[in-house]
CSV table of all heavy atoms in Angstrom, one decimal:
chain,number,residue,atom,x,y,z
A,10,TYR,N,-3.8,23.8,5.1
A,10,TYR,CA,-5.1,24.3,4.6
A,10,TYR,C,-4.9,25.1,3.4
A,10,TYR,O,-4.0,25.9,3.3
A,10,TYR,CB,-5.8,25.2,5.7
A,10,TYR,CG,-7.2,25.6,5.4
A,10,TYR,CD1,-8.2,24.7,5.2
A,10,TYR,CD2,-7.5,27.0,5.4
A,10,TYR,CE1,-9.5,25.1,4.9
A,10,TYR,CE2,-8.8,27.4,5.1
A,10,TYR,CZ,-9.8,26.5,4.8
A,10,TYR,OH,-11.0,26.9,4.6
A,11,ASP,N,-5.8,24.9,2.4
A,11,ASP,CA,-5.7,25.6,1.1
A,11,ASP,C,-6.8,26.5,0.8
A,11,ASP,O,-7.0,27.1,-0.3
A,11,ASP,CB,-5.6,24.6,0.0
A,11,ASP,CG,-6.8,23.7,-0.2
A,11,ASP,OD1,-7.8,23.9,0.5
A,11,ASP,OD2,-6.8,22.7,-1.0
A,12,GLY,N,-7.7,26.8,1.9
A,12,GLY,CA,-8.8,27.6,1.7
A,12,GLY,C,-10.1,26.9,1.4
A,12,GLY,O,-11.2,27.5,1.5
A,13,ALA,N,-10.0,25.6,1.1
A,13,ALA,CA,-11.2,24.8,0.8
A,13,ALA,C,-11.1,23.5,1.6
A,13,ALA,O,-12.2,23.1,2.2
A,13,ALA,CB,-11.3,24.5,-0.7
A,14,THR,N,-10.0,22.9,1.7
A,14,THR,CA,-9.8,21.6,2.4
A,14,THR,C,-8.7,21.6,3.4
A,14,THR,O,-7.6,22.1,3.1
A,14,THR,CB,-9.6,20.5,1.3
A,14,THR,OG1,-10.6,20.5,0.4
A,14,THR,CG2,-9.5,19.1,2.0
A,15,ALA,N,-9.0,21.1,4.6
A,15,ALA,CA,-8.0,21.0,5.6
A,15,ALA,C,-7.4,19.6,5.7
A,15,ALA,O,-8.1,18.6,5.5
A,15,ALA,CB,-8.5,21.4,7.0
A,16,GLY,N,-6.1,19.5,5.8
A,16,GLY,CA,-5.4,18.2,5.9
A,16,GLY,C,-5.6,17.7,7.3
A,16,GLY,O,-6.2,18.2,8.2
A,17,ALA,N,-5.0,16.5,7.5
A,17,ALA,CA,-5.0,15.8,8.8
A,17,ALA,C,-4.4,16.7,9.9
A,17,ALA,O,-3.4,17.4,9.7
A,17,ALA,CB,-4.4,14.5,8.8
A,18,VAL,N,-5.0,16.6,11.1
A,18,VAL,CA,-4.4,17.4,12.3
A,18,VAL,C,-3.1,16.8,12.6
A,18,VAL,O,-2.9,15.6,12.7
A,18,VAL,CB,-5.4,17.3,13.5
A,18,VAL,CG1,-4.8,18.0,14.7
A,18,VAL,CG2,-6.7,17.9,13.1
A,19,GLN,N,-2.1,17.7,12.8
A,19,GLN,CA,-0.8,17.2,13.2
A,19,GLN,C,-0.5,17.8,14.6
A,19,GLN,O,-1.1,18.8,15.0
A,19,GLN,CB,0.3,17.7,12.2
A,19,GLN,CG,0.1,17.2,10.8
A,19,GLN,CD,1.1,17.7,9.9
A,19,GLN,OE1,2.3,17.7,10.1
A,19,GLN,NE2,0.6,18.3,8.8
A,20,ASP,N,0.5,17.2,15.3
A,20,ASP,CA,0.9,17.6,16.7
A,20,ASP,C,2.3,18.1,16.7
A,20,ASP,O,3.2,17.3,16.9
A,20,ASP,CB,0.7,16.4,17.6
A,20,ASP,CG,1.0,16.8,19.1
A,20,ASP,OD1,1.0,18.0,19.3
A,20,ASP,OD2,1.2,15.9,19.9
A,21,PRO,N,2.6,19.4,16.3
A,21,PRO,CA,3.9,19.9,16.2
A,21,PRO,C,4.5,20.1,17.6
A,21,PRO,O,3.8,20.2,18.6
A,21,PRO,CB,3.8,21.2,15.4
A,21,PRO,CG,2.4,21.7,15.9
A,21,PRO,CD,1.6,20.4,16.1
A,22,PRO,N,5.8,20.4,17.7
A,22,PRO,CA,6.5,20.7,18.9
A,22,PRO,C,5.8,22.0,19.5
A,22,PRO,O,5.5,22.9,18.7
A,22,PRO,CB,7.9,21.0,18.6
A,22,PRO,CG,8.1,20.2,17.3
A,22,PRO,CD,6.8,20.2,16.6
A,23,ASP,N,5.6,22.0,20.8
A,23,ASP,CA,4.9,23.2,21.4
A,23,ASP,C,5.9,24.2,22.0
A,23,ASP,O,5.4,25.3,22.5
A,23,ASP,CB,3.9,22.7,22.5
A,23,ASP,CG,4.5,22.0,23.7
A,23,ASP,OD1,5.8,22.1,23.8
A,23,ASP,OD2,3.8,21.5,24.5
A,24,GLY,N,7.2,23.9,22.0
A,24,GLY,CA,8.2,24.9,22.5
A,24,GLY,C,8.1,25.2,23.9
A,24,GLY,O,8.7,26.1,24.4
A,25,GLY,N,7.4,24.3,24.7
A,25,GLY,CA,7.3,24.5,26.1
A,25,GLY,C,6.4,25.7,26.5
A,25,GLY,O,6.4,26.2,27.6
A,26,ILE,N,5.6,26.2,25.5
A,26,ILE,CA,4.7,27.3,25.8
A,26,ILE,C,3.4,26.8,26.3
A,26,ILE,O,2.9,25.8,25.9
A,26,ILE,CB,4.5,28.1,24.4
A,26,ILE,CG1,5.8,28.6,23.9
A,26,ILE,CG2,3.5,29.2,24.6
A,26,ILE,CD1,5.7,29.2,22.5
A,27,ASP,N,2.9,27.6,27.3
A,27,ASP,CA,1.6,27.3,27.8
A,27,ASP,C,0.5,27.8,26.9
A,27,ASP,O,0.1,29.0,27.0
A,27,ASP,CB,1.4,27.8,29.2
A,27,ASP,CG,0.0,27.6,29.8
A,27,ASP,OD1,-0.8,26.8,29.2
A,27,ASP,OD2,-0.3,28.1,30.9
A,28,TRP,N,0.2,27.1,25.8
A,28,TRP,CA,-0.7,27.6,24.8
A,28,TRP,C,-2.1,27.9,25.3
A,28,TRP,O,-2.8,28.7,24.7
A,28,TRP,CB,-0.8,26.6,23.7
A,28,TRP,CG,0.5,26.5,22.9
A,28,TRP,CD1,1.5,25.6,23.1
A,28,TRP,CD2,1.0,27.5,21.9
A,28,TRP,NE1,2.6,25.9,22.2
A,28,TRP,CE2,2.3,27.0,21.5
A,28,TRP,CE3,0.5,28.6,21.3
A,28,TRP,CZ2,3.0,27.7,20.6
A,28,TRP,CZ3,1.2,29.3,20.4
A,28,TRP,CH2,2.5,28.9,20.0
A,29,SER,N,-2.5,27.3,26.4
A,29,SER,CA,-3.8,27.7,27.0
A,29,SER,C,-3.9,29.1,27.5
A,29,SER,O,-5.0,29.6,27.7
A,29,SER,CB,-4.2,26.7,28.1
A,29,SER,OG,-3.3,26.8,29.2
A,30,ALA,N,-2.7,29.7,27.8
A,30,ALA,CA,-2.6,31.0,28.3
A,30,ALA,C,-2.3,32.0,27.2
A,30,ALA,O,-2.1,33.2,27.5
A,30,ALA,CB,-1.6,31.1,29.4
A,31,VAL,N,-2.3,31.6,25.9
A,31,VAL,CA,-2.0,32.5,24.8
A,31,VAL,C,-3.4,33.1,24.4
A,31,VAL,O,-4.4,32.4,24.2
A,31,VAL,CB,-1.3,31.8,23.7
A,31,VAL,CG1,-1.2,32.8,22.5
A,31,VAL,CG2,0.1,31.4,24.1
A,32,ARG,N,-3.4,34.4,24.2
A,32,ARG,CA,-4.7,35.1,23.9
A,32,ARG,C,-4.7,35.6,22.4
A,32,ARG,O,-5.8,36.1,22.0
A,32,ARG,CB,-4.9,36.3,24.8
A,32,ARG,CG,-5.1,35.8,26.3
A,32,ARG,CD,-6.4,35.1,26.4
A,32,ARG,NE,-6.6,34.6,27.7
A,32,ARG,CZ,-6.4,33.3,28.1
A,32,ARG,NH1,-5.9,32.4,27.2
A,32,ARG,NH2,-6.6,32.9,29.3
A,33,GLY,N,-3.6,35.5,21.7
A,33,GLY,CA,-3.6,35.9,20.3
A,33,GLY,C,-2.2,35.7,19.7
A,33,GLY,O,-1.2,35.7,20.5
A,34,ALA,N,-2.1,35.5,18.4
A,34,ALA,CA,-0.9,35.2,17.8
A,34,ALA,C,-0.8,35.6,16.3
A,34,ALA,O,-1.9,35.6,15.7
A,34,ALA,CB,-0.5,33.7,17.9
A,35,PHE,N,0.3,36.0,15.8
A,35,PHE,CA,0.6,36.1,14.4
A,35,PHE,C,2.0,36.0,14.1
A,35,PHE,O,2.9,36.1,15.0
A,35,PHE,CB,0.1,37.5,13.9
A,35,PHE,CG,0.8,38.7,14.5
A,35,PHE,CD1,2.0,39.2,14.0
A,35,PHE,CD2,0.2,39.4,15.5
A,35,PHE,CE1,2.6,40.3,14.5
A,35,PHE,CE2,0.8,40.5,16.1
A,35,PHE,CZ,2.0,40.9,15.6
A,36,MET,N,2.4,35.7,12.9
A,36,MET,CA,3.8,35.6,12.4
A,36,MET,C,4.1,36.6,11.4
A,36,MET,O,3.2,37.0,10.6
A,36,MET,CB,4.1,34.2,11.9
A,36,MET,CG,4.3,33.1,12.9
A,36,MET,SD,5.1,31.7,12.2
A,36,MET,CE,6.9,32.3,12.0
A,37,VAL,N,5.3,37.1,11.4
A,37,VAL,CA,5.8,38.0,10.4
A,37,VAL,C,7.3,37.8,10.2
A,37,VAL,O,8.1,37.8,11.2
A,37,VAL,CB,5.5,39.5,10.7
A,37,VAL,CG1,6.1,39.9,12.0
A,37,VAL,CG2,6.0,40.4,9.6
A,38,ASN,N,7.7,37.4,9.0
A,38,ASN,CA,9.1,37.2,8.6
A,38,ASN,C,9.8,36.3,9.6
A,38,ASN,O,10.9,36.7,10.1
A,38,ASN,CB,9.8,38.6,8.5
A,38,ASN,CG,9.3,39.4,7.3
A,38,ASN,OD1,8.7,38.8,6.4
A,38,ASN,ND2,9.5,40.7,7.4
A,39,GLY,N,9.2,35.2,9.9
A,39,GLY,CA,9.9,34.2,10.8
A,39,GLY,C,9.8,34.5,12.2
A,39,GLY,O,10.4,33.7,13.0
A,40,ALA,N,9.2,35.5,12.7
A,40,ALA,CA,9.0,35.8,14.1
A,40,ALA,C,7.6,35.6,14.5
A,40,ALA,O,6.6,36.0,13.8
A,40,ALA,CB,9.4,37.3,14.4
A,41,LEU,N,7.4,34.9,15.6
A,41,LEU,CA,6.1,34.6,16.2
A,41,LEU,C,5.8,35.5,17.3
A,41,LEU,O,6.6,35.6,18.3
A,41,LEU,CB,6.1,33.1,16.7
A,41,LEU,CG,4.8,32.6,17.4
A,41,LEU,CD1,3.6,32.7,16.6
A,41,LEU,CD2,5.0,31.2,17.9
A,42,TYR,N,4.7,36.3,17.2
A,42,TYR,CA,4.3,37.2,18.2
A,42,TYR,C,3.1,36.6,19.0
A,42,TYR,O,2.2,36.1,18.4
A,42,TYR,CB,3.9,38.5,17.6
A,42,TYR,CG,5.0,39.3,17.0
A,42,TYR,CD1,5.6,39.0,15.8
A,42,TYR,CD2,5.6,40.4,17.8
A,42,TYR,CE1,6.6,39.8,15.3
A,42,TYR,CE2,6.6,41.1,17.3
A,42,TYR,CZ,7.2,40.8,16.0
A,42,TYR,OH,8.2,41.5,15.5
A,43,LEU,N,3.2,36.7,20.3
A,43,LEU,CA,2.1,36.1,21.1
A,43,LEU,C,1.7,37.1,22.2
A,43,LEU,O,2.5,37.7,22.8
A,43,LEU,CB,2.7,34.8,21.9
A,43,LEU,CG,3.2,33.7,21.0
A,43,LEU,CD1,3.8,32.6,21.9
A,43,LEU,CD2,2.0,33.1,20.2
A,44,GLY,N,0.4,37.2,22.4
A,44,GLY,CA,-0.2,37.9,23.5
A,44,GLY,C,-0.6,36.9,24.5
A,44,GLY,O,-1.2,35.8,24.3
A,45,HIS,N,-0.3,37.2,25.8
A,45,HIS,CA,-0.5,36.2,26.9
A,45,HIS,C,-1.5,36.7,27.9
A,45,HIS,O,-1.8,37.9,28.0
A,45,HIS,CB,0.8,36.0,27.6
A,45,HIS,CG,2.0,35.5,26.7
A,45,HIS,ND1,2.2,34.2,26.5
A,45,HIS,CD2,2.8,36.2,26.0
A,45,HIS,CE1,3.2,34.1,25.6
A,45,HIS,NE2,3.6,35.3,25.3
A,46,ALA,N,-2.0,35.7,28.7
A,46,ALA,CA,-3.1,36.0,29.6
A,46,ALA,C,-2.7,37.0,30.7
A,46,ALA,O,-3.5,37.6,31.3
A,46,ALA,CB,-3.6,34.7,30.2
A,47,ASP,N,-1.4,37.1,30.9
A,47,ASP,CA,-0.9,38.0,31.9
A,47,ASP,C,-0.7,39.4,31.4
A,47,ASP,O,-0.2,40.3,32.1
A,47,ASP,CB,0.4,37.5,32.6
A,47,ASP,CG,1.6,37.4,31.5
A,47,ASP,OD1,1.4,37.7,30.4
A,47,ASP,OD2,2.7,37.0,31.9
A,48,GLY,N,-1.1,39.6,30.1
A,48,GLY,CA,-1.0,40.9,29.5
A,48,GLY,C,0.3,41.2,28.7
A,48,GLY,O,0.4,42.2,28.1
A,49,SER,N,1.2,40.3,28.8
A,49,SER,CA,2.5,40.5,28.1
A,49,SER,C,2.4,40.2,26.6
A,49,SER,O,1.5,39.5,26.2
A,49,SER,CB,3.6,39.6,28.7
A,49,SER,OG,3.3,38.3,28.6
A,50,PHE,N,3.3,40.8,25.9
A,50,PHE,CA,3.3,40.7,24.4
A,50,PHE,C,4.8,40.3,24.1
A,50,PHE,O,5.7,41.1,24.3
A,50,PHE,CB,2.9,42.0,23.8
A,50,PHE,CG,2.8,42.0,22.3
A,50,PHE,CD1,2.2,40.9,21.6
A,50,PHE,CD2,3.3,43.0,21.5
A,50,PHE,CE1,2.1,41.0,20.2
A,50,PHE,CE2,3.2,43.1,20.2
A,50,PHE,CZ,2.6,42.0,19.5
A,51,THR,N,5.0,39.1,23.5
A,51,THR,CA,6.3,38.6,23.2
A,51,THR,C,6.5,38.2,21.8
A,51,THR,O,5.6,38.0,21.0
A,51,THR,CB,6.6,37.4,24.1
A,51,THR,OG1,5.8,36.3,23.7
A,51,THR,CG2,6.4,37.7,25.6
A,52,ARG,N,7.8,38.1,21.4
A,52,ARG,CA,8.1,37.5,20.1
A,52,ARG,C,9.3,36.6,20.2
A,52,ARG,O,10.1,36.7,21.2
A,52,ARG,CB,8.5,38.7,19.1
A,52,ARG,CG,9.8,39.3,19.3
A,52,ARG,CD,10.3,40.2,18.1
A,52,ARG,NE,11.4,41.0,18.5
A,52,ARG,CZ,11.4,42.3,18.8
A,52,ARG,NH1,10.2,42.9,18.7
A,52,ARG,NH2,12.4,42.9,19.2
A,53,ARG,N,9.4,35.6,19.3
A,53,ARG,CA,10.5,34.7,19.3
A,53,ARG,C,10.6,34.1,17.9
A,53,ARG,O,9.6,34.2,17.1
A,53,ARG,CB,10.2,33.5,20.3
A,53,ARG,CG,9.0,32.6,19.9
A,53,ARG,CD,8.8,31.6,21.0
A,53,ARG,NE,8.2,32.2,22.2
A,53,ARG,CZ,8.4,31.6,23.4
A,53,ARG,NH1,9.2,30.6,23.5
A,53,ARG,NH2,7.9,32.2,24.5
A,54,ALA,N,11.7,33.7,17.5
A,54,ALA,CA,11.9,33.1,16.2
A,54,ALA,C,11.2,31.7,16.2
A,54,ALA,O,11.1,31.0,17.2
A,54,ALA,CB,13.4,32.9,15.9
A,55,PHE,N,10.6,31.4,15.0
A,55,PHE,CA,9.9,30.1,14.9
A,55,PHE,C,10.1,29.6,13.5
A,55,PHE,O,9.8,30.3,12.5
A,55,PHE,CB,8.4,30.3,15.2
A,55,PHE,CG,7.6,29.0,15.1
A,55,PHE,CD1,8.0,27.9,15.8
A,55,PHE,CD2,6.4,29.0,14.4
A,55,PHE,CE1,7.2,26.7,15.7
A,55,PHE,CE2,5.7,27.9,14.3
A,55,PHE,CZ,6.0,26.7,14.9
């Protein structure tokens, strides 16, 4: 996405994560932070 036009939808590896149970996410300096439905807050390299 360039702010005006979105490219075709791609299906990247999901890392075995239950994405339906993720409640929020952001990345910083190569680390992916995820908030989960069970209330936990995790990070992992991505």
Side-chain angles (χ1 to χ4, degrees):
Y10 186 57
D11 63 6
T14 304
V18 175
Q19 301 177 52
D20 184 16
D23 63 11
I26 298 169
D27 180 4
W28 290 98
S29 66
V31 174
R32 295 294 178 260
F35 62 84
M36 281 197 75
V37 57
N38 293 340
L41 174 61
Y42 289 80
L43 300 175
H45 303 269
D47 63 1
S49 63
F50 184 44
T51 66
R52 73 167 168 254
R53 66 184 74 210
F55 179 52

